[in-house]
Amino acid sequence: MAKTSQSLRRAALLASAVAVLGSLTACDTAHRTETASRQLSATGGATRCHTSELRASVGRMDPGAGQRNLPVVLTNVSSRSCTLHGHPGAAFVDASGRRLGPDPERTPDAPATVTLAPGETAWAGLRYASPEVSGARAATPAALLVTPPDERESLRVRWTADEVPAGGNAASVYLTALAAGSGP
């Protein structure tokens, strides 16, 4: 009987120790969460920009030596600061939404995180060889679909520039990583 009583005491002590450790872990986790929250509040708490918080536009074309260069601009239209990191996605489409040519290739430049306060902009450079110079099959898009980094939803921008490469060996289109501002 003494052995059973001793086993019960050990089990009770073990259960108490587990309960105390569990509450200490919960307190530590709560403290870490509260500290992280305070740090985010102190720095403005900027988190990733979502498609619904942005507006896309295409800036003025800067032609040069058979090249077409255009800034693709994302503007923060929300009431909070948010961040963008990396390359946006892009695709030329016709009036029915069918893709024209290959999606732009990402340039190998190292992306930086851009923090956008409400109303601020970031841009990526869209570059391609003029189809009349390169010999690529050409098409005139109705729009450019722009997808912010880490998002699935696209923003549709009416295309007002000239033809773009839509096929053939010289149909490469390039897109740089996002940088602060509205273009070069």
Side-chain angles (χ1 to χ4, degrees), residues 2-174:
K3 204 171 196 172
T4 304
S5 176
Q6 206 173 32
S7 295
L8 286 174
R9 264 190 243 138
R10 281 187 187 155
L13 281 172
L14 182 60
S16 296
V18 168
V20 168
L21 286 174
S23 71
L24 288 176
T25 301
C27 288
D28 184 52
T29 301
H31 175 70
R32 283 187 207 172
T33 302
E34 184 179 335
T35 301
S37 241
R38 266 193 243 130
Q39 288 172 342
L40 278 175
S41 295
T43 60
T47 58
R48 180 170 59 87
C49 298
H50 298 285
T51 303
S52 62
E53 298 172 308
L54 299 167
R55 182 183 71 236
S57 61
V58 176
R60 183 180 61 81
M61 183 188 301
D62 182 21
Q67 291 285 316
R68 301 292 182 251
N69 304 290
L70 300 108
V72 176
V73 181
L74 292 172
T75 303
N76 180 358
V77 294
S78 76
S79 60
R80 71 176 188 96
S81 291
C82 61
T83 62
L84 293 169
H85 180 84
H87 294 76
F92 295 110
V93 295
D94 65 14
S96 67
R98 187 175 53 92
R99 288 181 187 247
L100 301 172
D103 289 345
E105 296 177 35
R106 294 177 174 180
T107 58
D109 44 331
T113 299
V114 179
T115 301
L116 299 180
E120 289 186 336
T121 59
W123 71 283
L126 181 69
R127 179 183 84 235
Y128 56 91
S130 171
E132 19 338 299
V133 173
S134 70
R137 191 175 74 245
T140 302
L144 177 69
L145 299 180
V146 180
T147 308
D150 301 317
E151 289 289 302
R152 294 186 186 274
E153 297 293 319
S154 297
L155 299 162
R156 186 179 179 95
V157 180
R158 198 174 117 231
W159 187 255
T160 58
D162 57 1
E163 293 181 320
V164 299
N169 292 337
S172 295
V173 178
Y174 300 95

